[in-house]
């Protein structure tokens, strides 16, 4: 039955041609037409964005493939690198060289302004004003004043710092033992990083002296790195290159201790809060964690080492020839006061945070490139106990019957491991009597004072391996052993 009122379709069809505001329903394109209409003609803005995304994705995939090829080629040349081998330490040394040399050179403009404001806090009101003045006076080259000694010095320092840290971490860990090394891991990180930095700063110091003088004298006292070294040694001798070594140690050792210990702790905490273990994540996630942990560690580093950094700049710029370290430090402190030690802190936090995150990112990326694991986030060693009781299959073997040497057994312990007076001896002639057979898996771990005890099953025999020849009261304690060692008894 036809409806009494007209439908919407009928009304639209009747009045659409007469109403200027009405639009006729578009005819849908055929399958052939729609398949040949390019997306850019229909949604041009959306299509442009998608085009850029697809090209970026293609470039990224291509870059990843090239990196994977280069990594495979490098591994083929070097061979399989075993952890803690000479090749491993060489790879870590080169990774540290790349990480520190490139990143410190990249932030030379920040370092230039920081050093000049540390020497004269009234020279510039801000970083952008400083870069503007320097750029107008000296051009882009002036903004990068000191880049060459920065590159040489921090490349050498990074090589010794990262390579040395890996070496000393393993060295001290072996000295302490696996369990103690994990229990006191923070102390291990601090000690290893301090040892590495002590050596690294000796390599850095001559270049740091040239860099600071180039950046804090206007115009720079030398036009090149080795020209600056010649100028300093000509006037002050070799000692002039190392007059900032003590304050450099005062700045860099606390900085590096905080850098490595906090990084290891932060990375471990990050992995501890992630749903999977470190080994289950890909290379991208692991290097991302290294970058994040590095930035947070860098903030702490900047705060800890900043007063010494200010003093290094002051000493290299204002220390008089022949003036001792102590009097020079006291004189400078009287001039600037406690507040002066914190000049340029904000910019240094930004600089060091960026530096540290980039360094850890580059270093761990290089380790991944060489087929090595990233730094930090290691799982704890398996828990072991010196009194681990297992069914060690302890037996008493020998001829059937009582051989006159105590209880016998024809098999494993428990109530069956006792003598029977009703079984006559079967030992004939010189045949050996029964003996305990205790597998190695049933013995306690050595070093706990229980070397002669076993941990398997079975009655009274489950106490001592040597038939109680040495009683408990005769066993020496640790204090007694130390006394005998010292006394020579």
């Amino acid at each position: 039955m036809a409806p009494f009122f007209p439908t919407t379709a009928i009304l639209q069809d009747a009045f659409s041609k007469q109403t200027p505001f009405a639009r006729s329903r578009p005819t849908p394109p055929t399958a052939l037409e729609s398949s040949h209409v390019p997306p850019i003609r229909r949604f041009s803005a959306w299509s442009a964005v998608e085009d850029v995304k697809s090209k970026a994705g293609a470039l990224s995939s291509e870059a990843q493939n090239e990196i994977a090829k280069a990594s495979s080629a490098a591994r083929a040349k070097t061979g399989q690198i075993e952890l803690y081998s000479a090749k491993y330490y060489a790879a870590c040394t080169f990774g540290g060289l790349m990480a520190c040399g490139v990143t410190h050179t990249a932030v030379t403009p920040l370092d230039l302004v920081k050093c000049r404001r540390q020497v004269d806090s009234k020279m510039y009101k801000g970083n952008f004003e400083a870069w503007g003045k320097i750029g107008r006076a000296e051009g882009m080259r002036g903004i990068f004043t000191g880049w060459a000694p920065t590159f040489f010095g921090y490349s050498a320092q990074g090589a010794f710092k990262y390579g040395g840290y890996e070496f000393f971490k393993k060295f001290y860990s072996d000295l302490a033992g696996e369990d103690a090394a994990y229990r006191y891991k923070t102390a291990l990180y601090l000690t290893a990083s301090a040892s590495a930095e002590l050596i690294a700063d000796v390599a850095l110091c001559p270049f740091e002296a040239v860099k600071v003088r180039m950046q804090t004298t206007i115009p720079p006292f030398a036009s090149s790195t080795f020209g600056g070294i010649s100028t300093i040694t000509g006037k002050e001798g070799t000692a002039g290159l190392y007059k900032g070594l003590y304050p450099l140690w005062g700045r860099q050792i606390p900085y590096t201790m905080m850098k490595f210990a906090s990084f290891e702790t932060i990375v471990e905490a990050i992995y501890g809060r992630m749903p999977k273990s470190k080994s289950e994540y890909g290379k991208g996630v692991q290097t991302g964690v290294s970058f994040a942990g590095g930035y947070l560690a860098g903030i702490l580093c900047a705060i800890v080492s900043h007063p010494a950094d200010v003093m290094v700049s002051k000493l290299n710029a204002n220390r008089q020839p022949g003036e001792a370290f102590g009097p020079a430090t006291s004189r400078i402190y009287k001039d600037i006061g406690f507040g002066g030690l914190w000049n340029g802190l904000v910019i240094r936090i930004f600089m060091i945070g960026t530096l540290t995150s980039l360094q850890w990112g580059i270093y761990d990326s290089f380790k991944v490139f060489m087929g090595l694991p990233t730094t930090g986030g290691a799982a704890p060693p398996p828990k072991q106990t010196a009194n681990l009781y297992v069914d060690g299959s302890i037996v008493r073997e020998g001829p059937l019957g009582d051989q006159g040497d105590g209880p016998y057994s024809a098999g494993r312990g428990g109530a069956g491991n006792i003598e029977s007076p009703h079984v006559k001896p079967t030992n004939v002639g010189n045949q050996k009597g029964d003996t305990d057979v205790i597998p190695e898996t049933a013995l306690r771990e050595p070093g706990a004072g229980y070397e002669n005890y076993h941990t398997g099953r079975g009655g009274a025999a489950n106490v001592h391996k040597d038939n109680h020849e040495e009683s408990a009261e005769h066993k020496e304690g640790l204090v007694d052993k130390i006394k005998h060692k010292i006394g020579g008894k």
Side-chain angles (χ1 to χ4, degrees), residues 8-9 12 16 22-28:
T8 307
Q12 185 176 2
S16 60
R23 292 180 298 177
S24 60
R25 184 179 300 172
T27 305

Side-chain angles (χ1 to χ4, degrees), residues 53-132:
K53 280 170 138 185
S54 63
K55 286 182 179 179
L59 287 173
S60 176
S61 300
E62 200 173 322
Q64 288 178 6
N65 291 334
E66 291 300 320
I67 291 172
K69 288 179 184 177
S71 177
S72 300
R75 293 185 205 179
K77 285 185 178 180
T78 59
Q80 180 65 33
I81 299 179
E82 295 183 8
L83 288 178
Y84 314 119
S85 63
K87 285 184 179 180
Y88 172 78
Y89 293 122
C92 293
T93 299
F94 188 75
L97 182 150
M98 291 177 57
C100 291
V102 172
T103 51
H104 276 276
T105 304
V107 295
T108 298
L110 289 170
D111 192 39
L112 171 66
V113 176
K114 173 189 70 71
C115 286
R116 289 186 177 179
R117 292 186 73 184
Q118 285 174 346
V119 173
D120 183 2
S121 60
K122 298 179 181 178
M123 181 177 291
Y124 308 116
K125 294 180 181 178
N127 298 319
F128 290 102
E129 181 196 12
W131 292 326

Side-chain angles (χ1 to χ4, degrees), residues 157-173 184-201 248-249 251-265 301 360 375:
Q157 186 224 28
F160 285 106
K161 177 171 12 185
Y162 280 88
Y165 174 71
E166 298 285 357
F167 172 79
F168 284 114
K169 184 167 71 168
K170 174 63 174 171
F171 178 73
Y172 293 137
S173 178
Y184 305 109
K185 56 190 173 184
T186 303
L188 178 70
Y189 302 149
L190 293 171
T191 308
S193 57
S195 301
E197 188 63 37
L198 188 74
I199 299 170
D201 287 344
L248 187 64
W249 275 337
R251 178 190 79 184
Q252 288 297 128
I253 290 178
Y255 164 83
T256 302
M257 291 170 73
M258 178 63 73
K259 173 180 180 176
F260 283 88
S262 60
F263 174 81
E264 296 259 16
T265 304
C301 293
W360 279 116
T375 310

